[in-house]
Amino acid sequence: MALLMEDRHGQLSRITTLALPKTQHREFVEDRRSVYDGNGLSKSWPCAEPTSFVCTQRVSDLSRHKDLNRFKANPDRLSAVTEVSRGAQDATATAWIEALARPKQPHRAYMPPRAPQSVVTSAAQNAVASGVLKGLAEPKKVCESALKDGCQWEWYEWESNVSEAAKKAQASERVEALAAPKQATSLYRPARSPFWRVNKDIPGYTASERLISLAGPRTHKSIHVEDRSCYVVKEATLNAQASERVIELAVQVPRKQRTRK
């Protein structure tokens, strides 16, 4: 066993203290290896009695089945004939019960279904139809087919129904004026062609100085530091006096002050 290192005062050094093993707490209890360790019991029980379970009165009450309500549960009737008491037989209905027993009246706009057999009045039986009614009662007349006799279905084989006078008629000036197409307005310009024709003189054109100056980028005049004339205030500006209106506008607006109560 290695010797413990002590200092000159007879106490253990720091290295020796850290090297010592950790001690267990005084109240430490070692866990049992098994539930049967230390209680004298074993898994082989030669004379083992069954465990008896004892429940409380509350647990017994909760384990019983629910009783039917004596006021709501009605057992099956033994007979289809229901006995009516003497008081119920001699009872007299009140006015409110008689009002409730009356059948519900239908709505005032209710129309009952019509009977399959309609009743025809004597006036309708002796009525005389008018001329318009007779005309409406006649069957619709089918117009004759446009197909002419001796011709096939091709329209170019049919004979014309236009009279000779209509064929030789001449239109008047008014009819010809109405038949003329409408003219476009004087401000109308037709759509331009997608191919633009360039004049022969344009390729040899030389731009003027004015056009070149306008086509160039805009330049901003920069202020040079050496030029101190831009910061000089004129003598007339220094000696200028403000008008009464300017002085009035320059005066600070008085704030509204509340008087404390």
Side-chain angles (χ1 to χ4, degrees), residues 172-184:
S172 60
E173 296 181 359
R174 177 59 178 170
V175 175
E176 291 181 356
L178 295 175
K182 187 176 181 181
Q183 300 296 329

Side-chain angles (χ1 to χ4, degrees), residues 129-148:
S130 60
V132 178
L133 186 60
K134 291 181 180 179
L136 295 175
E138 292 180 357
K140 186 178 180 180
K141 297 181 180 180
V142 181
C143 61
E144 297 181 358
S145 176
L147 183 63
K148 298 182 179 181

Side-chain angles (χ1 to χ4, degrees), residues 113-173:
R114 297 180 60 184
Q117 297 179 355
S118 302
V119 179
V120 183
T121 60
S122 58
Q125 295 177 3
N126 301 327
V128 179
S130 60
V132 178
L133 186 60
K134 291 181 180 179
L136 295 175
E138 292 180 357
K140 186 178 180 180
K141 297 181 180 180
V142 181
C143 61
E144 297 181 358
S145 176
L147 183 63
K148 298 182 179 181
D149 298 337
C151 299
Q152 301 297 329
W153 284 101
E154 286 75 5
W155 60 272
Y156 57 86
E157 297 184 358
W158 297 356
E159 296 180 359
S160 178
N161 294 332
V162 182
S163 60
E164 294 296 332
K167 293 179 180 180
K168 298 178 180 181
Q170 294 182 359
S172 60
E173 296 181 359

